[in-house]
DNA sequence: CGACGACGTTGCGCTGGCGCAAACGCGCGC
DNA sequence: GCGCGCGTTTGCGCCAGCGCAACGTCGTCG
């Protein structure tokens, strides 16, 4: 598993927000500083609280970031898809990684040591600028979620969460949208701040109305995206 | 109001996380690029959605950052106290300022244009690094609040919010802690994602138990900090 | 191939907290 | 000094959603 895999083309990095505005040579420099490795489904990549010593770029597969609160309650912070970075800010945080990272499917990623990334940022200040902009976006996103959590009701929040997943990981397939990685009711509950019971009930109701189709685990099919959007908009 | 006021000592900046690790000359450079100005109670400093063209450092007084959601619902993001910066990330955000900033008391601040701040970051890369670390902290804080909002109940959230205020703006006064800037029940409600009714009820209850003392508006006195902490910890 | 375990579904009762509504008190402006 | 208005308090009814619990279903491993 720790065997080094062949590296992808440096031009791939150009698509990433993190490496915007870098020239060819810089991209090769960036790529050269990282290690490619495989991720096995279910394996833990880093653990909440550990000092942030790595930066990750997922090439394929899917990774779940989850947090355990002081009271032991879990919450799912986000899902990472191909060509997304994660664990990047931990190197700047006193508390280390803010959550656990677990591979929910097999996958491949590039890893940089925090040291290497710091050196890269030093050699190419544009990266730090980009990181700042990305963090800003994340912050904004989180802030909107705070607003959402406190004002919307469960149904809206769930609809919103699923729409995010559709946006990020949805695979259109003759009119429907398929989210085909292991996504439990518990995950959805922890993403929306509710219980798996309520998620199950709501999803059942939607299934009855032809909005979604819940395969039993590891698959969620959205039949009617507009209907979900309607649920989000729904005034109380 | 737009009259330029005398600038404070450059060494003051050294206390700020944003300017850690800068030498004397750099601090003077930073200070020189900003403008000092007065803030009148009730005045609006910037408006949600406007392009982020300024960075602010509050010297005295108190500023409230609030957000209006798509559904028109308001939420209070945070309160700014002396020696805190705000509006700093808006220059990196596509959406401009993420919220409105309103002075809740008279005050004095330093303002930099986004241009000037960008130039400063370019001349002193350490500032960008510091900004990254600060953003990271903010992100972490927000993430914990997301968890809190979704799992804790109103009472805990309210207690937590008040404790934050005590921490940040509390003035110890013979055993009690006084928060002496205009803080309405509505503000507290919008900070904790509840209604002013529930806040009022809860505060009344606490008043009965000798935990707080609610002056009618513009003042909140916390008599028993440990009791509040106990409320936060309280298992369901 | 049978049993176990993880995940999902559903019913039921309870309650925290919201919406509505009315009354009150403090401070401000006239 | 008087009245008006904002902020607050409090009562009441209601319902979304949680906790508990039992049951169903699928995948897996011995």
């Amino acid at each position: 598993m720790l065997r080094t895999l062949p590296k992808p083309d440096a031009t791939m990095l150009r698509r990433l927000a993190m490496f915007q505005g870098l020239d060819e040579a810089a991209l090769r420099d960036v790529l050269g500083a990282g290690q490619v490795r495989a991720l096995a489904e279910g394996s833990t990549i880093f653990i909440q609280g550990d000092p942030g010593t790595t930066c990750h770029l997922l090439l394929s597969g899917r990774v779940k970031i989850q947090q355990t609160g002081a009271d032991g309650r879990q919450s799912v912070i986000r899902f990472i898809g191909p060509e997304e970075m994660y664990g990047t800010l931990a190197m700047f945080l006193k508390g280390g990684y803010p959550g656990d990272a677990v591979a929910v499917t097999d996958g491949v990623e590039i890893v940089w040591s925090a040291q290497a990334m710091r050196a890269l940022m030093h050699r190419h200040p544009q990266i730090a600028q980009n990181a700042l902009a990305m963090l800003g976006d994340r912050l904004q996103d989180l802030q909107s979620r705070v607003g959402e959590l406190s004002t919307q009701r469960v149904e809206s929040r769930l609809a919103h969460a699923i729409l995010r997943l559709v946006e990020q990981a949805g695979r259109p397939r003759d009119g429907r949208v398929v989210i085909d990685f292991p996504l439990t009711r518990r995950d959805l509950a922890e993403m929306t701040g509710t219980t798996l019971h309520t998620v199950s009930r709501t999803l059942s109701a939607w299934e009855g109305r032809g909005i979604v189709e819940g395969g039993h685990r590891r698959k969620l099919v959205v039949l009617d995206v507009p209907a979900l959007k309607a649920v989000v908009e729904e005034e109380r």
Side-chain angles (χ1 to χ4, degrees), chain A:
Chain A
M1 179 136 7
L2 283 171
R3 209 192 63 218
T4 300
L5 298 171
K7 293 194 177 179
D9 192 356
T11 58
M12 190 225 70
L13 296 178
R14 180 171 298 149
R15 284 200 294 275
L16 305 180
M18 187 78 166
F19 304 118
Q20 283 304 311
L22 298 185
D23 61 29
E24 197 67 29
L27 292 178
R28 272 197 304 274
D29 185 22
V30 168
L31 194 57
Q35 294 264 330
V36 179
R37 67 169 187 177
L39 298 173
E41 175 171 340
S43 63
T44 298
I45 300 154
F46 53 74
I47 292 184
Q48 183 171 345
D50 281 1
T53 55
T54 54
C55 288
H56 305 255
L57 165 61
L58 194 61
L59 297 176
S60 67
R62 190 82 37 186
V63 168
K64 177 168 70 173
I65 310 287
Q66 56 189 350
Q67 209 173 41
T68 307
D71 55 353
R73 221 169 278 262
Q74 301 256 99
S75 47
V76 173
I77 307 299
R78 57 187 186 131
F79 278 92
I80 312 291
E83 305 201 352
E84 282 187 85
M85 300 200 61
Y86 63 101
T88 9
L89 34 32
M91 53 186 273
F92 296 108
L93 297 179
K94 300 184 245 315
Y97 296 106
D100 299 336
V102 181
V104 294
T105 66
D106 288 341
V108 179
E109 68 166 4
I110 307 183
V111 196
W112 290 269
S113 72
Q115 265 187 335
M117 187 51 77
R118 237 183 279 268
L120 283 172
M121 284 186 180
H122 194 254
R123 281 204 291 282
H124 314 287
Q126 184 63 40
I127 299 180
Q129 287 269 339
N130 291 341
L132 220 38
M134 286 173 63
L135 263 192
D137 283 350
R138 285 267 300 282
L139 205 73
Q140 206 165 218
D141 187 62
L142 256 186
Q143 237 155 34
S144 74
R145 279 177 72 172
V146 168
E148 185 184 315
L149 266 178
S150 49
T151 63
Q152 312 279 91
R153 63 171 140 223
V154 168
E155 215 184 11
S156 298
R157 275 150 40 194
L158 187 56
H160 205 151
I162 294 180
L163 283 175
R164 280 180 214 262
L165 286 174
V166 164
E167 191 71 29
Q168 191 211 21
R171 207 176 283 207
R173 196 183 177 107
D174 49 34
R176 298 114 52 98
V177 183
V178 182
I179 298 169
D180 60 351
F181 61 88
L183 179 71
T184 66
R185 309 288 142 152
R186 169 173 284 271
D187 287 331
L188 283 171
E190 287 173 0
M191 291 174 73
T192 50
T194 182
T195 63
L196 67 166
H197 307 276
T198 303
V199 170
S200 183
R201 272 182 263 267
T202 308
L203 249 41
S204 294
W206 287 349
E207 202 155 349
R209 288 165 53 192
I211 299 179
V212 301
E213 213 175 270
H216 187 78
R217 186 195 197 185
R218 13 194 113 228
K219 192 173 289 187
L220 181 66
V221 184
V222 179
L223 302 172
D224 191 349
V225 173
L228 277 186
K229 289 191 177 157
V231 170
V232 173
E233 300 302 336
E234 222 162 66
E235 221 45 39
R236 65 178 48 233

